[in-house]
Amino acid sequence: GLWELDFRYQFAGNKLEFIHDQNVAYQNYGENKTIVRSNTGLRMDILWDIYATATYRFNYESEPAAGKLGKDSTLAVGLGAKF
């Protein structure tokens, strides 16, 4: 099974955007594995087509490969440009 969510909400005069993307996959064959991928953050327009972002990513796998962790998270801050 697969479940996906892509949510975006703009506020502060469309200068600030809240972002949340999430995917959940369930494989009901073999190892009955569940995989969750989540990305949550803010994007703020700075100047012209330049924006700043801050995001938190979280990944989970119920049956990871041998010797690997089932959870992984990342905090990222950056700049981007719209083309």
Side-chain angles (χ1 to χ4, degrees):
L2 178 65
W3 182 79
E4 292 186 35
L5 173 70
D6 184 9
F7 179 78
R8 304 228 185 295
Y9 183 77
Q10 292 183 336
F11 51 99
N14 293 336
K15 296 278 185 188
L16 192 59
E17 182 177 30
F18 174 79
I19 302 164
H20 181 76
D21 302 319
Q22 186 171 7
N23 298 316
V24 178
Y26 176 73
Q27 301 169 349
N28 58 352
Y29 55 87
E31 298 177 347
N32 292 332
K33 185 187 279 189
T34 301
I35 300 170
V36 178
R37 301 198 190 289
S38 177
N39 184 28
T40 303
L42 290 172
R43 178 182 295 179
M44 181 175 71
D45 288 340
I46 297 176
L47 186 64
W48 301 301
D49 289 336
I50 299 173
Y51 58 88
T53 60
T55 59
Y56 176 73
R57 294 182 188 117
F58 178 76
N59 296 326
Y60 168 78
E61 192 170 326
S62 64
E63 300 291 332
K68 301 292 181 179
L69 294 175
K71 300 176 189 174
D72 181 43
S73 61
T74 305
L75 180 62
V77 177
L79 293 174
K82 299 174 192 173
F83 295 100

